[in-house]
Amino acid sequence: MSPRRARRRDDSRPVGFPRGMDRVEEWPDGEWKVRMLAGGSSAKNYRCPGCDQEIPGGQPHLVSWPNWTGGDDERRHWHTACWRKRLDRGPGRSRY
């Protein structure tokens, strides 16, 4: 029996490099820039504003910020499911 060969990745990008470019999403509360992050892109922990739980380093998630001049300072890291469900939250909870 011969040993297994190491398989090379087809992708030449470094580990953790964002898979796509920033995209603009239109929601009832405005336009948002959204960037998907791969799990290996950060070792830092973040707190999701949707569920108030930690996003551990190494877990895939997304970053969003308002699509206006100066909106880059308002970036927030979200669980992907929390971002999609954020408009369903009841009164008394901030949507951002």
Side-chain angles (χ1 to χ4, degrees):
M1 180 180 224
S2 62
R4 287 185 164 190
R5 260 193 230 181
R7 292 186 181 147
R8 292 183 184 223
R9 292 178 54 183
D10 294 336
D11 197 355
S12 61
R13 293 178 288 194
V15 173
F17 190 81
R19 294 261 178 233
M21 301 299 291
D22 299 341
R23 66 180 187 269
V24 176
E25 294 184 4
E26 290 186 33
W27 289 79
D29 60 347
E31 287 187 353
W32 299 88
K33 287 188 180 178
V34 178
R35 177 184 301 155
M36 300 297 292
L37 297 177
S41 63
S42 176
K44 186 176 174 183
N45 293 341
Y46 297 98
R47 185 156 307 270
C48 175
C51 64
D52 203 33
Q53 300 295 314
E54 269 194 6
I55 302 171
Q59 181 179 14
H61 63 283
L62 63 85
V63 180
S64 69
W65 62 96
N67 187 24
W68 65 62
T69 304
D72 296 349
D73 296 333
E74 302 293 323
R75 286 183 301 175
R76 299 290 181 267
H77 293 253
W78 293 75
H79 293 108
T80 306
C82 293
W83 172 252
R84 286 192 304 252
K85 300 289 285 175
R86 68 190 167 81
L87 296 178
D88 296 340
R89 281 187 288 211
R93 294 279 317 254
S94 171
R95 289 194 169 131
Y96 186 65

